[in-house]
Amino acid sequence: MLKILDRYIIKTFFGPFFFIFSVLFFIFIVNIIWVQLGQFMGKGLSYWQIMKLLFYLGVSVISMVLPLTILLASIMSFGEFGERYELAAMKAAGISLTRVMLPLLGVTMIMSVMLYFFSNNIIPDFQRKAKNMLFNIAQTKPALNFTPGQFIDQIPGYMVKFDKISGENGENIDGVFVHRKASNYENQQSIVAEKGKFIPAANKNYLKLVLYNGYVYEDNFAGKGDNVRLKQPDQAIKFDTLVSHFDVSEIINKAIEEEKITDDYRFQTFNELNTTIDKTKKDNDKFFTNVNNDVLSQTNSVISYMDATTNKAKVKPKQLVKLDTVKSDKKLEMIFNAYNRLGNLKNTLDTKNNEINPGVKYYSKVVIYQQRIVSYSFTCIIFFLIGASLGSIIRKGGMGLPVIIAIVIFIIFYVINVSTENMAWSGKINPYLAAWIPNIVLFPFGVWMTYKALTDSQLFDAEKYKAFFKPVTKLFVKDNEHKRYQ
């Protein structure tokens, strides 16, 4: 009997789970597309390359999508149990809410362990692929896109202009001008033709262009003196048909997935990150020691100079200073120098502080990234406790109220997450603590919600809250009872 009930509960949970997961994953992917759209434009990427990049980027959002999916699915499934009075029937049969939650708690714990291994072993690999692909796309030259009447330099080593482009695939051109870019030691060459046509080349790395009725203007005096150039004019060759091949392999065969970046901390597993953290900490300690020594040395210099200034000032009696003798007064000169030294010390402190911040921020980033591999797995369990408890209390299924409550809880979690992350980056709190604060804050709330659900608390009963605050509100409301008899 209980095994059948467990299967029914799990089946009811996974119904909305897969739907919500697909919707949230799509939303996060759309957000990625919106952010990265500018890098896709004019790069000549195929649909397959774009889909592959989005897949690489999308894998990394699963660590955030899964906890939210568990939260929303648990609220909806337990809300449906309460709305259909199935929870009441289970309790009437002697089955407690704890027993009802137990199979889904087991499923959630399994998914939490899977999320840990997924974040630790799979996401780093896809992060490396995505980051390298984005870097290579950013370095890729724009795809061939000829515009009539404009000079185009997209063909490597050439500047071209076509007055008119026609044909089904834009293969026919009129008014052709082709100029080869050359250094001082290469022959300059320009081609002018009445018309031409693009023809598929045998080698895809080349662009084949057949030109008709034109001239080739070439300067054969590269590297020679101006006197030689003046004696002979440029060479001009008339042609009826000219076949030219342009090397476009730099554009077509750009290695979009070539891995040039390999040292990013996001490409590492949990254990590998320990090594990176230790190395970063040692580097920071060494840097902080050098900074402390520099600042301390400069501070001691300023203090010594000010002490010397004070002692010299005590030797001579206090004198009145005249305006015309200020420049030659040694005491004022020493005070002015001391003031400049203090100003230099302040500038040094500001400079060293700016140098310290990047090291602190990088260390915090690495620590937070490592700890979130584990903390997000615990977030799944906490969100389940909150979601299952809220669902059994509100007793409302569907996509209405449960969605609103889940979004509010997730926003609170996200705000705490980002706030503590920024505080850790600035060195205000320990990065290990920053990664776990969202869970530390929400876990007591999840336990409290579970307790309320197990005790059948009417948490959202408005009349209960009105009765609780009635002694206070009564002080501000005038009693009009029996007014008509006065």
Side-chain angles (χ1 to χ4, degrees), residues 44-160:
L45 300 178
S46 64
Y47 290 111
W48 171 247
Q49 289 174 328
I50 294 176
M51 293 298 296
K52 187 181 292 186
L53 175 60
L54 293 177
F55 175 71
Y56 291 159
L57 293 171
V59 168
S60 61
V61 305
I62 292 179
S63 58
M64 185 65 72
V65 171
L66 184 61
L68 180 57
T69 303
I70 292 175
L71 173 64
L72 190 52
S74 58
I75 292 178
M76 292 179 62
S77 57
F78 277 85
E80 290 179 0
F81 289 152
E83 190 175 20
R84 297 195 296 258
Y85 298 101
E86 292 176 340
L87 281 178
M90 295 177 190
K91 292 178 181 179
I95 303 174
S96 65
L97 181 61
T98 305
R99 180 62 184 83
V100 176
M101 295 172 60
L102 191 60
L104 291 184
L105 180 60
V107 171
T108 303
M109 294 181 69
I110 293 174
M111 287 192 291
S112 300
V113 174
M114 292 175 61
L115 179 61
Y116 167 77
F117 286 105
F118 186 84
S119 301
N120 187 56
N121 301 322
I122 298 178
I123 289 182
D125 185 49
F126 283 90
Q127 286 270 33
R128 184 180 67 255
K129 292 178 182 296
K131 191 173 183 65
N132 279 279
M133 199 169 180
L134 284 173
F135 175 79
N136 293 328
I137 289 173
Q139 300 298 317
T140 303
K141 293 186 177 181
L144 294 175
N145 184 20
F146 300 121
T147 304
Q150 294 184 8
F151 283 97
I152 306 296
D153 62 350
Q154 295 176 354
I155 298 179
Y158 289 89
M159 179 80 70
V160 300

Side-chain angles (χ1 to χ4, degrees), residues 6 99 234 272 275 300 330 421:
D6 292 342
R99 180 62 184 83
D234 293 341
E272 292 172 346
T275 305
N300 291 334
K330 298 297 183 182
E421 182 181 80

Side-chain angles (χ1 to χ4, degrees), residues 27-47:
I27 293 174
F28 276 81
I29 289 295
V30 169
N31 180 63
I32 292 174
I33 294 174
W34 183 260
V35 173
Q36 304 291 343
L37 184 62
Q39 298 192 40
F40 301 155
M41 304 302 294
K43 298 296 185 178
L45 300 178
S46 64
Y47 290 111

